[in-house]
Amino acid sequence: MPTPSEEMLNNSGPESPQSSLALGVVGNGSVAALIDGYGRIVWSCLPRFDSDASFCALLSPKREGGDWSIELEDAVRAEQHYIPNTAVLVTRLYDRHENAIEILDFAPRYRSHGRFYHPVLLARRVRPISGSPRIRVLLRPLCDYGQRAPETSSGSNHIRYLLSEVTQRLTSDVAAPLIERGLFFHLDRPAHFVFGPDETLAHSPADFIHHTLEYTLAYWRDWVRYLSVPYEWQEAVIRAAITLKLCQYEATGAIVAALTTSIPEAANTERNWDYRYCWLRDAALTVRALNRLGATRSMEEYIRYVFNIISGEDDHEVGPVFGISFERELLERHADGLAGYRGMGPVRVGNDAWRQRQNDVYGSVVLASAQLFFDHRLEHRGDERAYARLERMGRMALRMAEEPDAGLWEFRGRAAIHTYSAAMCWAACDRLAHIATQLGLRDRARYWHDEAVQLHARISARAWNEKLGHFVDAYDGEHLDASLLLLADIGFVKGKDPRFVATVDAIGRALGRGNYLFRYIAPDDFGTPETSFNICTFWYIEALAASGRKRQARAMFERMLSMRNPLGLLSEDIAPATGEHWGNFPQTYSLVGLIQAAMRLSRRWEDAL
């Protein structure tokens, strides 16, 4: 497994306050935590992904705390890896005196009593692995996005923290005063920490962690065992798939775009947004990627979420983004208690994109749901009732396909009839025709087929620029953006259609920066973009392969794999000049792109063997 470089560790270790995205993720569908190279929990929102950030050190709180550190005295070096095929993270710390410890982090997840056990709970085990190490435990959550410290109370074996939205209890076999006062002590035996619901633990912390760890390891290994992974790049695909799974909120099926807020897209820019919500587009792409791996349960849970969003009898516009518990209004504000990533504020809570019109959403919902009607492995396949719900999305697609919108890049200051939005509305009609045929609804199949053909012709006429010789980003436009690379993926054109090949070439020339691709280069509401958008690079890789240039695609893909962080994860953006990660983390978009490109490029199992 990869280990962090000394430079990355210095960025994330106790000697340096500078934050880094050389982070690992642990979680279980209810809670998630980001852990730096020295085993410090620097980000976790409790009790939900979009709640107050109890651990917020990643975004520079203006008061002390916001982290959970297990510090080795005089630490000089660290190593980190996941236990293969699991979401269990291991960090080893070494001091200058040849003493060493191992920290193991996980969130329990396994089947119990016919359902999943996935509490709002983080479990940590630290044990000596050489010498006579001295450690201290600093558990310092904050409330109201860094504004204040929580009230606490303690018993003989536990400490209670009254956080903003929940009370959490730390139960440990380390004496409470050592933790409360942050005192160094010799670690001569394994120590166990259970940070979870304010309830008495039925077992000792050691027994609880021993048993839940075994069950959790077994769960993840089983989950991975049934993935249909490609022959090549299996480790990268598996890590991406596990991380996508960690971004789905089990209670409702919502999939967040990322687990963080306000990691800027580039240094010293206000392009920093709260991504802890469910964009129907992003989540649909996540579902399609996991479907290709055979992990269809995420699709079923997400469709349950979507059908709650679109419930009702009236045809009405659907917003692009919702809260993980179906919230429609995500009012945006600044969290003044946090200075921001590396001090680069503001830190935003909420996202005003909920106010926007993004017409591709209708196609996103239909495409994410389509497999429900064809996959014979599913216990509850799509029926006419489910189809009727999707037809409402189709009717809205027809109504909105050629109306101006903010587009998938969420322009805040301008609107246009975006080619990608219109093409996704076409995809909604096209898939509805296929689904109706599958259900034996001949009249509906004919209706949607005819509407799709007519819409396709109108889009083709106005999104193709004959003078420039390629598709353009908006009706009658002259510009390019990376979303045009998806026209083949959604079936609007064939991969080797000369029009698509010409568009791919034009995008490479205009938006490419070495091995990276920008989503667009025209100035927007915040100026000219400075960093490449990872999923766009993967889209370009796929488009190269689809148009017959597989060798070039493979070389670019290998380069992108080398740019992952030490634990195999990706943020939203990369700075082409430095290779540094920017943007919210871990970014589901980026991991989706990795999976889909690997599936397209890999040698087939039957050929390889």
Side-chain angles (χ1 to χ4, degrees):
M1 299 294 292
T3 57
S5 69
E6 290 296 330
E7 179 182 3
M8 287 180 172
L9 288 174
N10 287 338
N11 285 342
S12 58
E15 296 86 355
S16 171
Q18 179 167 276
S19 296
S20 163
L21 296 182
L23 303 170
V25 184
V26 298
N28 62 5
S30 293
V31 64
L34 304 186
I35 301 174
D36 75 9
Y38 271 83
R40 185 170 63 128
I41 294 178
V42 296
W43 184 262
S44 185
C45 301
L46 299 171
R48 315 182 332 159
F49 297 165
D50 59 355
S51 294
D52 183 24
S54 302
F55 297 107
C56 54
L58 185 65
L59 295 186
S60 312
K62 296 177 182 178
R63 60 180 301 140
E64 187 177 54
D67 62 348
W68 182 1
S69 305
I70 298 175
E71 293 184 1
L72 174 65
E73 191 174 45
D74 297 328
V76 294
R77 184 167 63 88
E79 299 172 351
Q80 199 169 51
H81 68 273
Y82 281 104
I83 294 178
N85 296 345
T86 77
V88 179
L89 185 65
V90 175
T91 307
R92 291 186 177 134
L93 304 180
Y94 302 84
D95 70 16
R96 61 172 56 97
H97 312 294
E98 299 185 357
N99 303 308
I101 65 172
E102 178 187 87
I103 305 167
L104 182 143
D105 284 288
F106 71 102
R109 180 179 175 85
Y110 53 87
R111 284 193 176 274
S112 178
H113 305 296
R115 56 187 177 181
F116 282 107
Y117 176 68
H118 49 92
V120 180
L121 186 153
L122 298 171
R124 315 194 79 178
R125 184 189 73 193
V126 56
R127 65 184 183 93
I129 55 176
S130 69
S132 181
R134 278 168 50 86
I135 70 166
R136 68 172 175 174
V137 179
L138 298 177
L139 177 52
R140 306 180 293 184
L142 295 173
C143 298
D144 303 332
Y145 291 95
Q147 292 278 18
R148 61 181 178 87
E151 295 181 21
T152 64
S153 61
S154 60
S156 56
N157 296 295
H158 73 267
I159 307 171
R160 298 170 71 244
Y161 297 82
L162 279 67
L163 305 176
S164 298
E165 301 177 41
V166 67
T167 298
Q168 292 283 107
R169 178 186 293 221
L170 176 73
T171 305
S172 176
D173 43 22
V174 172
L178 296 179
I179 301 171
E180 290 176 302
R181 300 178 186 180
L183 302 177
F184 277 101
F185 61 93
H186 280 288
L187 183 71
D188 57 0
R189 70 195 72 182
H192 305 85
F193 306 89
V194 179
F195 188 67
D198 186 22
E199 303 166 356
T200 300
L201 206 61
H203 306 281
S204 71
D207 286 344
F208 176 85
I209 286 180
H210 173 75
H211 292 297
T212 56
L213 174 60
E214 291 303 310
Y215 296 150
T216 300
L217 289 170
Y219 165 80
W220 285 112
R221 287 166 177 159
D222 253 10
W223 189 80
V224 168
R225 183 178 296 121
Y226 292 103
L227 294 179
S228 301
V229 296
Y231 174 75
E232 298 179 89
W233 310 298
Q234 291 180 46
E235 187 176 298
V237 169
I238 289 169
R239 181 55 48 205
I242 289 174
T243 308
L244 290 180
K245 182 67 175 171
L246 297 181
C247 291
Q248 184 165 41
Y249 184 59
E250 186 91 2
T252 62
I255 301 170
V256 295
L259 294 171
T260 59
T261 178
S262 302
I263 310 295
E265 295 178 16
N268 301 308
T269 176
E270 289 195 13
R271 295 176 187 271
N272 53 356
W273 316 110
D274 192 346
Y275 276 15
R276 299 171 300 157
Y277 307 110
C278 184
W279 273 259
L280 299 188
R281 172 197 316 111
D282 301 44
L285 288 170
T286 299
V287 163
R288 291 178 65 202
L290 290 175
N291 281 351
R292 292 181 185 183
L293 296 173
T296 55
R297 187 170 182 271
S298 292
M299 172 186 65
E300 295 175 276
E301 293 172 348
Y302 173 65
I303 291 170
R304 173 165 49 91
Y305 172 82
V306 168
F307 282 176
N308 274 292
I309 292 290
I310 64 173
S311 62
E313 299 302 322
D314 297 331
D315 294 346
H316 54 79
E317 289 192 46
V318 176
V321 56
F322 295 84
I324 61 175
S325 295
F326 318 120
E327 296 88 351
R328 294 180 182 273
E329 297 184 0
L330 306 173
L331 300 177
E332 194 173 296
R333 62 182 177 86
H334 291 176
D336 295 330
L338 301 174
Y341 182 75
R342 301 185 184 174
M344 300 173 188
V347 172
R348 304 177 198 269
V349 177
N351 196 305
D352 276 345
W354 70 272
R355 305 177 187 273
Q356 290 187 352
R357 172 185 288 173
Q358 297 177 28
N359 294 331
D360 65 295
V361 66
Y362 307 107
S364 295
V365 169
V366 176
L367 263 63
S369 306
Q371 189 165 332
L372 188 70
F373 297 87
F374 295 90
D375 194 330
H376 287 255
R377 298 170 297 173
L378 303 180
E379 183 178 355
H380 303 291
R381 292 174 60 195
D383 56 16
E384 291 188 29
R385 184 176 179 182
Y387 181 71
R389 289 174 173 172
L390 289 186
E391 279 204 307
R392 299 215 315 274
M393 294 295 95
R395 291 193 292 271
M396 287 305 302
L398 283 177
R399 183 190 305 173
M400 306 305 298
E402 297 171 287
E403 292 292 327
D405 73 348
L408 83 164
W409 306 127
E410 300 187 340
F411 296 115
R412 294 195 172 196
R414 65 174 187 261
I417 304 174
H418 289 98
T419 300
Y420 177 74
S421 296
M424 284 295 285
C425 289
W426 164 84
C429 301
D430 178 75
R431 299 322 190 265
L432 284 169
H434 286 291
I435 297 168
T437 300
Q438 174 71 9
L439 294 174
L441 305 174
R442 294 185 178 180
D443 290 345
R444 303 311 299 158
R446 172 58 60 186
Y447 171 79
W448 287 113
H449 170 78
D450 291 347
E451 292 290 354
V453 168
Q454 295 170 38
L455 180 56
H456 190 284
R458 296 196 300 273
I459 297 170
S460 297
R462 297 190 62 186
W464 174 259
N465 187 307
E466 187 65 37
K467 179 181 177 182
L468 297 175
H470 56 70
F471 286 109
V472 287
D473 65 340
Y475 272 23
D476 306 322
E478 297 182 347
H479 299 292
L480 289 160
D481 80 53
S483 67
L484 298 171
L485 296 169
L486 293 175
L487 294 180
D489 181 68
I490 65 173
F492 187 84
V493 294
K494 299 292 185 183
K496 294 187 178 181
D497 184 317
R499 296 174 301 167
F500 182 68
V501 174
T503 303
V504 173
D505 290 343
I507 286 174
R509 291 190 299 269
L511 306 184
R513 297 293 183 274
N515 288 295
Y516 309 107
L517 201 82
F518 279 55
R519 50 188 164 173
Y520 52 86
I521 56 173
D524 60 17
D525 319 330
F526 297 90
T528 302
E530 301 174 50
T531 51
S532 65
F533 206 66
N534 289 331
I535 195 171
C536 296
T537 304
F538 287 120
W539 287 346
Y540 184 64
I541 290 167
E542 280 203 83
L544 286 174
S547 58
R549 289 165 283 186
K550 201 166 184 177
R551 180 177 296 180
Q552 183 183 353
R554 287 177 66 92
M556 286 193 69
F557 182 68
E558 293 281 4
R559 174 65 176 169
M560 282 299 292
L561 289 185
S562 74
M563 299 309 299
R564 294 174 299 152
N565 83 0
L567 290 166
L569 305 182
L570 286 164
S571 64
E572 182 180 42
D573 308 275
I574 288 178
T578 64
E580 187 171 13
H581 287 218
W582 291 94
N584 282 307
F585 180 92
Q587 181 75 10
T588 55
Y589 250 173
S590 301
L591 299 172
V592 164
L594 186 157
I595 290 171
Q596 296 193 156
M599 297 289 281
R600 179 179 289 276
L601 293 172
S602 174
R603 285 179 290 163
R604 298 185 306 170
W605 281 89
E606 53 267 37
D607 295 337
L609 300 179

